[in-house]
């Protein structure tokens, strides 16, 4: 998905790419590292205060498995004129 987002942004730097859903993986996993590599699809949860970065509570542990990743058009991309 990260590579696909890069391809889209290479063609259309102002594109808005969104990946969302229950990715069922922790932020420190290899999968999430691959998805967010190069800040192409930064996770929106990181914009929240640390104490609010969770999507469910299991046995008293607050964790985030649901994700919303969004591109930031123009950031790191060259505009085509």
């Amino acid at each position: 998905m990260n590579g696909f987002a890069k391809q889209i942004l290479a063609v259309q730097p102002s594109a808005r790419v969104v990946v969302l859903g229950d990715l069922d993986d922790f932020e420190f996993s290899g999968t999430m590292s691959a998805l967010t590599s190069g800040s192409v699809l930064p996770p929106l949860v990181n914009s929240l205060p640390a104490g609010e970065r969770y999507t469910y509570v299991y046995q008293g542990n607050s964790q985030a498995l649901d994700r919303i990743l969004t591109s930031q058009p123009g950031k790191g991309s060259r505009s085509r004129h």
Side-chain angles (χ1 to χ4, degrees), residues 34-46:
L35 280 171
T36 60
S37 175
S39 298
V40 175
L41 294 168
L44 287 182
V45 72
N46 290 350

Side-chain angles (χ1 to χ4, degrees), residues 56-77:
Y56 79 104
V57 178
Y58 179 72
Q59 295 182 346
N61 295 313
S62 302
Q63 300 174 347
L65 296 180
D66 302 303
R67 305 286 174 196
I68 302 174
L69 312 172
T70 60
S71 65
Q72 297 177 346
K75 188 171 186 176
S77 302

Side-chain angles (χ1 to χ4, degrees), residues 19-43:
V19 175
L20 63 101
D22 180 359
L23 301 184
D24 202 24
D25 217 339
F26 297 105
E27 66 217 33
F28 48 81
S29 73
T31 300
M32 289 307 297
S33 292
L35 280 171
T36 60
S37 175
S39 298
V40 175
L41 294 168

